[in-house]
Structures are given as structure tokens and as C-alpha cells.
Amino acid sequence: MITVDLRSDTVTKPTPGMLEAMWGAKVGDDVFGEDETVNALEEKAAKLFGMEAGLFCPSGTMTNQVAIKCFTQPLDELIADQASHVYRYEGGGIAFNSAVSTRLLNGDRGRITAEMIAPEINAENVHYPRTSLVVLENTVNKGGGSCYKLDDIKPIAALCKQKGLKLHLDGARIFNALANTGDGAADYGKYFDGISVCLSKGLGAPVGSVLLADKETIKYARRVRKVLGGGMRQAGFLAAAGIYALDHHVERLKIDHAHAQILADALNGQSWVSYVMPADTNIVLFDTVAPAIEVLQKLLSKGIRANSTDTHRIRFVTHLDVHPRQVEYIVEVLGQEF
């Protein structure tokens, strides 16, 4: 029986080329700033997105939380969509790490607009928290991999600049978004104060995310990372995987998108499926007639691992360890009665 893991694009294993790059990495103590491979990754990512500097962290959650800490003060408030990862999946870190409240909006599959944000910016009043930050997510996990185009981001950035707010991007799957929209990574630095770029999702690195910002912000972010326990030592072995991923795994993301669309098409019209969200990138969200846990058990009996995101909703995520023959097999299984 064929087995395939669709739970997340974080389940990938390093490719032979990535392992070779890791094995040959030149390392030092990164807390002392002496790991040349970490330094190279930070510089490479910053240049790629048109930003001044970068900071390598163990996870995307840490880069997001560090950014929020850098861009806010206690008693502030940030604005984000109600489906955003920073709100739903980072353990309450906004409140715990930064003592900041959150104003939640109901966007289109996780995407918010300048028109939605503007009336939610608090006036200067002792009764209200000070609005200081807007956080966008691209792609949106709970939006089924939905994407912002750069033209969607520009008016939000203009509003933030006008109102004196910082703008941060949770770019957990930013390269999936770029593969879908055709926008250029370097243009993002013109509009965001901070960008979190995850390397361990679609790009297939085993660990890591890079926070990008101006030099002064990264200087403070390095201090915050240390306080959070994110100061790694000979981290170049991990950074080498990130460099390899940026060099070799970006273009192939379109394959994952094609596989996701095949699965979405196979789900549409099935009697046991009540709704399939558009599959813009590598995430397929769909609703089931029977409870999701029952469907997941049947899928697992066929060798297919997946996760539920609600009582009747299942998520498939395609990635570099999902191959065409596996996709064919999944389609065969989905055609059966559940």
C-alpha cells in the first residue's frame, strides 16, 4: 500500500543535496556573530526581499513573536485577521510576550483590506489601547493557502504609513504566494517593516525562519531572540539547509500547487464532501458530510495521513515529498465512498 503524509509541508525530510550542504557547512558561534553560514543566510534572505538585515531563528512562530515585540509596546494593539496564525496558532504569544491586545477582522479567506483596517485604528484616547501594528499573512493557512497580491498590499502599506503604524508580514509560505502571483520578492521590502520568511515549510528545510527588517530593528530583535532562548550556537548546519532551499526549492513550488489542484478537483463532486475551498497554492481545505475524525481514520487505513481543522473540515498540504504516483493513488482513494 502506498503511504503519503499530507498533514503539513513541515513533515519533509532533507534532500540528498541539502544534507550534503549541511555536512559541508562552515560554522562558528552564532551568538557571538561568528557563524559565517548563518551570516550568509541572513544576508541572502535580506537582499532577496530588499531589506537591510536578517535574523535566523528556530521557527516562524519565533520570528513573528520577535517582530511583534519589536514593533509594539505594552498596552498597544495590533490588527490582524481572525484566522491569522499569529493569533490562532502561536500559543497566546501576542499577550504573553508583548502585553499587546489584538483587534480581529473578518477578511476574505484571511485577507484583509485597507478599507477594513482604517475604521479599526483607535483614536488617541486614554480608554483605548494604542494601535501600532498591522499583521498580514501570506499565504493564509486557514484561508486554504489564499494569497495577497502586491497590489492588495500597497494600499494597506500606504494607510499604515499615513497613520504611523508598522506593517509586518507573516510570510510562512511567502514563496508559495510569489509562485502564484508572479510578484517579485524584492518589491516586498518597499512596503513592510518586518517580514518573516519560513524555510521549513514549502522550501523543505528541517528547521528555521528568518526575520527581515532594517538594521536597527534587527539589532533589537537579536536581543529579544536571546531572551526567548533562540540564540543558537553552531547553527550554520541548519542555515546551510536554508541557503540550499532558497537556491534549489523555490521554482519547484509550482509542482506542489499543481498537485493540490488535482486533489481539489478530485474532491469536488464527491458525495461525502460538502465543500472544497479554492486551492490557490499547496493547501486544500474541504468539508466532509461525516465528522472529520471518521474520514481521517478511513484515509489513514488507506495509508493517507491528514489533519482536521474543524469538526467537519480536513486539510491536505502538498510538498516536495509528495510525488506524482502518490497523487494518483490519493485520487483513486478519494473516489471511494467515505
Side-chain angles (χ1 to χ4, degrees):
M1 181 173 61
I2 292 177
T3 61
V4 56
D5 196 337
L6 299 175
R7 290 175 299 165
S8 177
D9 44 6
T10 61
V11 302
T12 57
K13 304 295 193 298
T15 62
M18 183 178 286
L19 287 171
E20 184 178 351
M22 295 169 70
W23 183 255
K26 296 180 179 179
V27 300
D29 191 321
D30 180 48
V31 176
F32 295 154
E34 295 174 354
D35 192 305
E36 59 184 275
T37 306
V38 171
N39 295 341
L41 171 63
E42 292 170 346
E43 292 168 8
K44 182 182 184 71
K47 183 178 180 180
L48 188 60
F49 282 88
M51 305 291 274
E52 288 185 358
L55 180 68
F56 184 49
C57 292
S59 69
T61 293
M62 183 175 284
T63 48
N64 285 332
Q65 291 301 313
V66 169
I68 292 168
K69 185 69 175 175
C70 288
F71 295 140
T72 64
Q73 294 293 323
L75 305 181
D76 282 0
E77 184 168 81
L78 66 80
I79 296 173
D81 186 84
Q82 58 83 25
S84 64
H85 192 280
V86 295
Y87 172 71
R88 287 187 175 266
Y89 298 121
E90 298 187 6
I94 295 172
F96 186 80
N97 296 315
S98 298
V100 168
S101 63
T102 306
R103 180 73 63 93
L104 299 175
L105 308 182
N106 292 300
D108 173 26
R109 294 170 59 201
R111 296 166 298 189
I112 57 179
T113 66
E115 290 74 19
M116 295 174 64
I117 295 167
E120 304 301 328
I121 299 172
N122 289 329
E124 184 61 41
N125 187 306
V126 70
H127 296 90
Y128 309 144
R130 185 179 71 94
T131 306
S132 59
L133 175 65
V134 174
V135 179
L136 307 181
E137 183 179 345
N138 208 14
T139 66
V140 184
N141 180 8
K142 283 186 70 68
S146 58
C147 301
Y148 285 93
K149 295 180 180 178
L150 204 57
D151 286 342
D152 302 324
I153 292 168
K154 290 176 182 178
I156 297 174
L159 174 66
C160 288
K161 185 175 183 180
Q162 176 191 352
K163 297 294 185 178
L165 312 183
K166 297 293 186 179
L167 181 60
H168 174 65
L169 177 66
D170 173 6
R173 295 181 175 90
I174 181 59
F175 288 102
N176 292 94
L178 294 173
N180 176 271
T181 64
D183 291 328
D187 292 327
Y188 271 66
K190 302 174 185 177
Y191 302 103
F192 288 97
D193 298 286
I195 301 175
S196 169
V197 179
C198 190
L199 304 167
S200 62
K201 292 189 174 70
L203 297 189
V207 173
S209 182
V210 184
L211 174 62
L212 308 175
D214 61 61
K215 291 179 180 178
E216 281 302 307
T217 297
I218 293 300
K219 181 179 179 180
Y220 181 59
R222 195 171 297 277
R223 178 178 290 272
V224 176
R225 184 188 71 172
K226 177 66 175 176
V227 170
L228 294 176
M232 299 179 285
R233 301 299 179 174
Q234 288 72 33
F237 294 114
L238 300 174
I243 293 172
Y244 185 91
L246 290 172
D247 288 340
H248 298 280
H249 290 170
V250 173
E251 289 300 319
R252 62 153 310 282
L253 289 173
K254 294 179 181 179
I255 298 172
D256 299 338
H257 297 182
H259 286 165
Q261 189 60 59
I262 291 170
L263 298 182
D265 291 343
L267 288 162
N268 271 304
Q270 299 294 341
S271 61
W272 56 275
V273 175
S274 59
Y275 171 69
V276 182
M277 195 175 288
D280 297 334
T281 50
N282 70 321
I283 299 176
V284 183
L285 289 179
F286 62 97
D287 294 342
T288 57
V289 176
I293 190 170
E294 295 180 11
V295 176
L296 289 172
Q297 288 171 349
K298 292 179 180 179
L299 288 170
L300 185 58
S301 73
K302 302 290 185 179
I304 300 170
R305 305 182 75 179
N307 276 338
S308 62
T309 64
D310 210 330
T311 56
H312 285 263
R313 177 161 289 182
I314 290 175
R315 185 182 78 161
F316 288 167
V317 186
T318 56
H319 48 78
L320 60 82
D321 283 348
V322 176
H323 306 295
R325 178 64 191 101
Q326 292 173 313
V327 174
E328 293 174 5
Y329 173 71
I330 298 165
V331 170
E332 293 173 10
V333 171
L334 297 180
Q336 301 173 11
E337 184 57 48
F338 280 82

